[in-house]
Amino acid sequence: MITPAGRAGLLSPAGQPLVDPFGRAITYVRVSVTDRCDFRCVYCMSEDMHFLPKAEILSLEELDRLCSAFVALGTRKLRLTGGEPLVRRNIMELVRRLGRHLRTGDLEELTLTTNGSQLARYADELRAAGVRRINVSLDTLDPDKFHQITRWGRFAQVMEGVLAAKEAGLAVKINAVALKGVNDMEFDDLIRWCGEEGHDLTLIEVMPLGDIDGNGGGETRADQYLPLSQVRADLSRRWTLTDIDYRSGGPARYVRIEETGRKLGFITPLTHNFCESCNRVRVTCTGTLYMCLGQEDAADLRAPLRASPDDDGALIAAIREAITRKPKGHDFVIDRRRRQPAVGRHMSVTGG
Ligand code: SAM
Ligand code: SF4
């Protein structure tokens, strides 16, 4: 365990916070707490996904140690994701434990990305643990289409969850993956609804991660891919979009929609390379640290975690070593001729 004295030592001149070889301070960590999910979104998973054996998954205690090590190394923002983070058994135990870093001021923000299905149950507890903002993934307001996209999701349940989050006092940002021919005619409705409900909205380009159709995913993705530069140009014919400097600590670039007063973000890994300001790393639910979402290079943090349960020295050394290997950027490309995804692992494994 890291004691306050140990933490002071880590951040002393002899043990600086994490800075990669390109001078980027690593202050934002996204942790996947499970690879399982109660949905099977078409761009994320195949219908017959195989999940990892339990022994490979970090325990809640191990996840706490791992997150706390990053906090000791200067992480200011922690995002829990998955799979679906809220289907992990006893997940609130981890959230409550991590909340202690908010109270000491060592952590600025504890947040999560969720599909919303369990929010009606957990919204109040999340707020009580110190969570203030959450991202909810919602690609459409049409219940039938929602079912087509998520395969197993129930729209009414998610709507109930989003409402519960709002009533609990959580700020909700809606994330929608832009899918050609699926929800591209609905962005106006999403903008209007978010305006009425007081939510910000972020549109995300579909990324080539993981086989989703048993055939590499290349063709399906090329069919789904919709460049957000095109979406923005189209939206600006009907909405007044003003560029703003706001940054959420993530990769989105924001505009303000003057008609609704809400923010609209664009995450464009394919049309816009956002790597130069990347302050993030991701850890999978098996303790594999990926220094870049779009590259295969990784470091195993589970072995040092399990080798010395009472001392995080080896874990910290492994994190530091890995950060020296953080690459400058990724080179995603969605290419119909290229059948394999750019990166073989699914978003649900790396954590979105
Ligand atoms: N289950 C939670 C959810 O859906 O919000 C958290 C995990 S999910 C993998 C995180 C985000 O990744 C979601 O907003 C989802 O839409 C997005 N996502 C999944 N696969 C993607 C892909 N291939 N390209 C772009 N975004 C993707
Ligand atoms: Fe589950 Fe989220 Fe992937 Fe959809 S995007 S299948 S909700 S992990």
Side-chain angles (χ1 to χ4, degrees):
M1 285 289 141
I2 297 163
T3 60
R7 180 183 301 122
L10 288 166
L11 296 179
S12 70
Q16 290 299 313
L18 296 173
V19 177
D20 80 359
F22 303 96
R24 298 169 296 191
I26 307 306
T27 55
Y28 180 5
V29 179
R30 302 166 78 112
V31 181
S32 172
V33 298
T34 177
D35 61 332
R36 286 161 200 263
C37 188
D38 51 345
F39 292 4
R40 292 288 180 279
C41 300
V42 290
Y43 46 75
C44 180
M45 294 192 182
S46 64
E47 196 153 16
D48 60 342
M49 283 291 284
H50 296 288
F51 294 107
L52 296 161
K54 218 168 159 199
E56 289 195 25
I57 308 281
L58 298 186
S59 66
L60 293 175
E61 165 78 13
E62 287 167 336
L63 283 166
D64 180 25
R65 284 176 58 206
L66 183 110
C67 293
S68 301
F70 273 103
V71 171
L73 287 166
T75 288
R76 303 290 294 155
K77 175 166 173 175
L78 265 178
R79 178 178 298 280
L80 305 184
T81 177
E84 173 47 42
L86 296 180
V87 301
R88 170 97 195 230
R89 189 186 301 210
N90 295 331
I91 185 63
M92 288 311 303
E93 210 177 295
L94 176 67
V95 177
R96 274 192 297 272
R97 278 201 229 173
L98 293 175
R100 73 187 183 280
H101 298 304
L102 295 167
R103 291 190 292 278
T104 59
D106 290 338
L107 189 64
E108 217 165 88
E109 182 168 28
L110 174 61
T111 184
L112 74 162
T113 300
T114 173
N115 65 22
S117 70
Q118 309 301 313
L119 271 179
R121 180 172 167 202
Y122 288 129
D124 286 329
E125 284 183 70
L126 288 168
R127 170 84 197 184
V131 174
R132 293 292 175 264
R133 302 193 300 167
I134 55 171
N135 288 358
V136 179
S137 304
L138 179 67
D139 304 326
T140 175
L141 293 171
D142 173 335
D144 292 333
K145 209 179 283 176
F146 182 82
H147 185 67
Q148 279 165 31
I149 296 173
T150 62
R151 292 196 187 103
W152 295 4
R154 282 186 34 238
F155 181 73
Q157 190 180 345
V158 171
M159 283 292 123
E160 228 175 88
V162 173
L163 192 61
K166 184 176 156 179
E167 283 173 355
L170 297 172
V172 174
K173 181 160 75 70
I174 300 293
N175 279 348
V177 177
L179 299 163
K180 188 162 72 186
V182 178
N183 64 356
D184 46 354
M185 62 300 279
E186 263 198 80
F187 298 145
D188 288 338
D189 291 343
L190 276 167
I191 287 175
R192 226 172 279 122
W193 177 75
C194 285
E196 286 160 14
E197 293 297 312
H199 308 317
D200 290 334
L201 171 67
T202 293
L203 299 176
I204 307 173
E205 276 174 359
V206 72
M207 289 180 253
L209 302 174
D211 186 359
I212 45 167
D213 55 11
N215 198 17
E219 286 186 39
T220 311
R221 289 252 167 57
D223 290 339
Q224 294 169 344
Y225 176 58
L226 176 63
L228 288 184
S229 47
Q230 207 174 301
V231 173
R232 184 182 166 151
D234 178 54
L235 288 177
S236 63
R237 287 193 207 114
R238 295 178 300 286
W239 304 93
T240 315
L241 309 180
T242 310
D243 278 310
I244 51 174
D245 279 340
Y246 174 81
R247 300 303 299 265
S248 65
R253 297 285 153 88
Y254 287 89
V255 297
R256 188 176 46 247
I257 306 173
E258 300 298 346
E259 288 81 356
T260 66
R262 304 305 317 180
K263 290 192 270 295
L264 172 65
F266 296 94
I267 300 187
T268 56
L270 293 134
T271 53
H272 177 89
N273 199 306
F274 51 53
C275 303
E276 70 279 1
S277 59
C278 180
N279 59 350
R280 301 172 284 292
V281 292
R282 292 174 157 81
V283 188
T284 69
C285 55
T286 58
T288 303
L289 170 64
Y290 283 98
M291 288 73 87
C292 171
L293 178 64
Q295 304 275 2
E296 298 285 4
D297 191 25
D300 175 28
L301 301 181
R302 188 176 59 190
L305 257 172
R306 291 191 173 168
S308 43
D310 301 320
D311 170 17
D312 287 340
L315 171 64
I316 297 235
I319 294 173
R320 283 199 182 287
E321 189 282 326
I323 297 303
T324 67
R325 288 188 275 130
K326 184 167 164 65
K328 198 166 178 195
H330 65 66
D331 43 26
F332 285 147
V333 58
I334 286 188
D335 182 346
R336 202 173 273 276
R337 286 158 304 179
R338 182 168 150 179
R339 292 214 150 181
Q340 293 310 310
V343 172
R345 61 186 190 275
H346 289 86
M347 188 73 133
S348 53
V349 173
T350 320

